[in-house]
Amino acid sequence: MAESAGPLKRITIGLNAAIVSVVENAPQILTVPHDKETGEDGGEGAPGDTLPFGPFDPLSHRTLEQGLRAWVEEQTRLRLGYVEQLYTFGDRGRHAAEEDPSADHVVSVGYLALTRGQSAEMSGAKWSPWYQYFPWEDWREGKPAIIDKVLVPLLREWAAQTGGASAEEIERGRRLDRLRLCFGIDGVAWDEEKVLERYELLYSSGLVIEAYRDGRPQARKPDSLTPQLGRAMQFDHRRILATAMGRVRAKLKYRPVIFELMPETFTLFELQQMTEALLGLHVHKQNFRRLVEKAGLVERTGRITTRTGGRPAEQFRFRREILNERPAPGLKLAPSRSRVNNRV
């Protein structure tokens, strides 16, 4: 009889929620208190912020989504609206130290949730701007300085690290290709949907604090000289958040999910600002308005508002009939030449 390789690990199913709201044109993500045993705000690779997380109880919850909604409402008093499943995250070492053979292995099902409310009441829960975690993703005021000043030089240095062998030269080419495609350099256009790919590149190159925490080869040890590349998170929660951001940006273009974040009535300028906030891009005003009206996504209410502080503006509402009229109603913001310069 073969000897056992060690104690069998139990598999625990967890539910992670990337809960998104937008306040004053700033996309916000709900974070909850971290495990105090890991230290404050990163220390030596133990970042403090976490996404809401809870276990799946098959005796109490008929489906995973029902479980997610139940514990989020129980913990935060926040009733979720739009929810969709993102991905299943199960890499080894997510929630327990590798050297602890007795710890359960946690497989988390990640969800994206969109809400208009920010009334979370969980002790210590807070809303944080999602660009705090990915400062290179917000192009509304132009190309973020961190890309050319910090990220690209460090990534070029990483891509050039080869020993001269043929296989390594091939790998170096692949690294450069990833850099170009992810960060839109050397003539390649910026793709706002590649949020996860950009984070994965920074993780693979050992530049983010989570890579050091997870023991990645060549990862830089955090110190006073190491540039802080966005606010870190515990476990793989920044990866989950990157997945959620990319999903939102992609889905805007073929489903009317943006209206899950809008009030019942709004101006076209407010709708444009919401779109820009989520995409991290500036949108041409007249083109955007023509696109929205031509797509039949909104209808006039017949009312005027002055809440924007400028000229009186007409109010609109989401035209829900569009869901039955077209299979993929959304803001089809086609790329243009000026997209390289952060216009769509």
Side-chain angles (χ1 to χ4, degrees), residues 113-181:
L114 305 178
T115 179
R116 297 188 184 102
Q118 287 206 331
S119 58
E121 298 176 8
M122 180 178 179
S123 177
K126 65 178 181 178
W127 293 92
S128 302
W130 74 13
Y131 292 123
Q132 217 177 55
Y133 304 95
F134 305 97
W136 50 87
E137 294 293 339
D138 189 359
W139 286 57
R140 286 175 292 175
E141 300 299 325
K143 189 175 185 179
I146 190 175
I147 294 179
D148 287 336
K149 291 184 177 179
V150 179
L151 297 179
V152 171
L154 289 174
L155 288 168
R156 285 192 186 279
E157 178 184 331
W158 168 74
Q161 292 174 359
T162 67
S166 176
E168 290 179 338
E169 289 296 333
I170 294 174
E171 176 62 22
R172 182 177 67 174
R174 290 174 180 169
R175 289 179 175 184
L176 285 172
D177 286 343
R178 286 181 69 188
L179 172 54
R180 295 186 184 107
L181 292 172

Side-chain angles (χ1 to χ4, degrees), residues 37-160:
E37 294 180 0
T38 64
E40 296 290 336
D41 264 351
E44 287 233 328
D49 288 356
T50 65
L51 298 174
F53 172 87
F56 173 65
D57 181 357
L59 298 180
S60 302
H61 307 137
R62 186 172 62 86
T63 67
L64 295 172
E65 183 177 320
Q66 285 183 351
L68 178 85
R69 290 179 181 274
W71 66 252
V72 168
E73 185 171 355
E74 178 183 344
Q75 291 182 358
T76 70
R77 303 296 183 266
L78 184 66
R79 180 167 293 185
L80 297 179
Y82 178 91
V83 169
E84 70 167 275
Q85 190 175 129
L86 287 172
Y87 191 73
T88 300
F89 301 85
D91 290 355
R92 189 175 57 177
R94 297 181 61 250
H95 285 256
E98 296 279 355
E99 62 271 14
D100 185 356
S102 63
D104 291 356
H105 181 68
V106 180
V107 174
S108 285
V109 182
Y111 282 85
L112 165 67
L114 305 178
T115 179
R116 297 188 184 102
Q118 287 206 331
S119 58
E121 298 176 8
M122 180 178 179
S123 177
K126 65 178 181 178
W127 293 92
S128 302
W130 74 13
Y131 292 123
Q132 217 177 55
Y133 304 95
F134 305 97
W136 50 87
E137 294 293 339
D138 189 359
W139 286 57
R140 286 175 292 175
E141 300 299 325
K143 189 175 185 179
I146 190 175
I147 294 179
D148 287 336
K149 291 184 177 179
V150 179
L151 297 179
V152 171
L154 289 174
L155 288 168
R156 285 192 186 279
E157 178 184 331
W158 168 74

Side-chain angles (χ1 to χ4, degrees), residues 16-28:
N16 276 94
I19 304 173
V20 179
S21 185
V22 179
V23 176
E24 297 181 350
N25 302 319
Q28 308 274 326

Side-chain angles (χ1 to χ4, degrees), residues 1-6:
M1 183 174 178
E3 293 185 6
S4 172

Side-chain angles (χ1 to χ4, degrees), residues 31-36 38-43 45-51 124 126 133 209-210 213 228 231-235 237:
T31 60
V32 297
H34 60 76
D35 183 349
K36 298 298 183 181
T38 64
E40 296 290 336
D41 264 351
D49 288 356
T50 65
L51 298 174
K126 65 178 181 178
Y133 304 95
I209 196 172
E210 291 93 334
R213 176 205 64 198
Q228 184 68 25
R231 186 174 174 84
M233 302 186 84
Q234 280 198 43
F235 316 128
H237 288 195

Side-chain angles (χ1 to χ4, degrees), residues 229-246:
L229 303 183
R231 186 174 174 84
M233 302 186 84
Q234 280 198 43
F235 316 128
D236 55 359
H237 288 195
R238 196 151 48 142
R239 179 177 283 112
I240 296 174
L241 177 54
T243 306
M245 288 176 63

